[in-house]
Amino acid sequence: MSDDAAFRQSTEDFFYEQIPLTRAMGVKVASYSEGALVLRAPLAPNHNHLGTAFGGSLSVMATLAGYGLLWLELGDRSLHIVIRRSHIEYLRPVTGEIVARCSRPNPITFEAFRNRLKQKGKSRLELEVEIVEKDQVCVKFVGEFVALRD
Amino acid sequence: MSDDAAFRQSTEDFFYEQIPLTRAMGVKVASYSEGALVLRAPLAPNHNHLGTAFGGSLSVMATLAGYGLLWLELGDRSLHIVIRRSHIEYLRPVTGEIVARCSRPNPITFEAFRNRLKQKGKSRLELEVEIVEKDQVCVKFVGEFVALRD
């Protein structure tokens, strides 16, 4: 197994163990590079009454991409991370595999977040996630996450 | 089986068949009366890395309560109903069973929505959902749903 495959496997194992819904949804880590985490999930366990991706599944994928990015960027899975609020826009139906991408915010914002966490033991950060299919943005998500040191 | 039990069973069967994630989450219809739909789901398949309810599962429950209320109030499961956007506030962790309640909006708003659907074939409605535990509101959700006649 390559380092990259081993990394993806260990992140998936973490999701499956900690958040069992991710296993039922078939969530996979597609990639993590240059500060961007991409998750994917098949349509079959995630479809709705119209045969397209269920809004709830899309919301889960976006939320999970945000959590995942923070765990990976902070390099500490023992951190207490919660989501405080989120807003999601469903622009177009997703008709196949769900692919959710969360990118690290700009370096100044991210460093300020990290320093606040170090100094105050608590810090909040807004993360954006997009779900894209055939080069079209289908879902836009913005979530506010809070990290706390115990 | 009483009428009420049969009704709950048929609604659950509809959810399970149309949106398979609801089965994995163990979603049940707790009650539907006086224009309010209450759904519930056990914590076990829906916990997160902190042992409380996963934000994604809470979002699914709220979204589903909105869909369910519209199907029931409009009395027509063949209607094309989609969610356009939603906002969710996670106020307190949910530590046990997830209980989501969606109530019909005030009669004037709901009649206007229903009339527009009849006249234009398309209508949108904002629905509020609360997730309450031990008399405390843990989650507040507002979603905009669109109903279309084919």
Side-chain angles (χ1 to χ4, degrees), chain A residues 45-119:
Chain A
N46 294 300
H47 73 73
N48 63 12
H49 53 292
L50 301 167
T52 57
F54 172 45
S57 289
L58 296 168
S59 169
V60 169
M61 289 295 282
T63 303
L64 202 64
Y67 272 121
L69 187 87
L70 279 186
W71 278 316
L72 292 164
E73 288 291 314
L74 294 172
D76 182 357
R77 288 179 185 161
S78 72
L79 274 174
H80 190 111
I81 296 177
V82 296
I83 182 164
R84 193 52 54 92
R85 61 178 58 83
S86 67
H87 183 85
I88 188 164
E89 299 271 336
Y90 300 96
L91 305 170
R92 289 181 185 82
V94 174
T95 61
E97 190 182 46
I98 303 168
V99 180
R101 179 191 183 89
C102 182
S103 299
R104 188 175 46 205
N106 73 66
I108 293 171
T109 302
F110 198 76
E111 268 316 294
F113 162 74
R114 200 196 286 269
N115 287 338
R116 229 168 19 245
L117 180 60
K118 206 169 166 182
Q119 288 161 15

Side-chain angles (χ1 to χ4, degrees), chain B residues 4 18 29-31 33 47 56 61-62 67 82 84 89 97 108 121 139 144-145:
Chain B
D4 188 49
Q18 301 291 320
V29 175
S31 65
S33 66
H47 72 74
M61 289 295 282
Y67 272 121
V82 297
R84 192 52 54 92
E89 300 271 337
E97 189 182 47
I108 293 169
V139 176
E144 186 185 310
F145 292 80

Side-chain angles (χ1 to χ4, degrees), chain B residues 28-115:
Chain B
K28 299 277 177 192
V29 175
S31 65
Y32 172 55
S33 66
E34 296 176 17
L37 174 66
V38 180
L39 303 181
R40 57 191 175 85
L43 181 63
N46 295 299
H47 72 74
N48 63 13
H49 53 293
L50 302 167
T52 58
F54 172 45
S57 289
L58 296 168
S59 170
V60 168
M61 289 295 282
T63 304
L64 201 65
Y67 272 121
L69 188 87
L70 279 184
W71 279 316
L72 292 164
E73 288 291 315
L74 294 171
D76 182 356
R77 287 177 184 163
S78 71
L79 274 174
H80 190 112
I81 296 176
V82 297
I83 183 164
R84 192 52 54 92
R85 62 178 57 83
S86 66
H87 184 85
I88 188 163
E89 300 271 337
Y90 301 96
L91 305 170
R92 287 180 186 84
V94 174
T95 61
E97 189 182 47
I98 303 169
V99 180
R101 179 192 183 89
C102 182
S103 299
R104 189 174 48 205
N106 72 68
I108 293 169
T109 303
F110 197 77
E111 268 316 293
F113 162 74
R114 200 196 286 269
N115 287 338

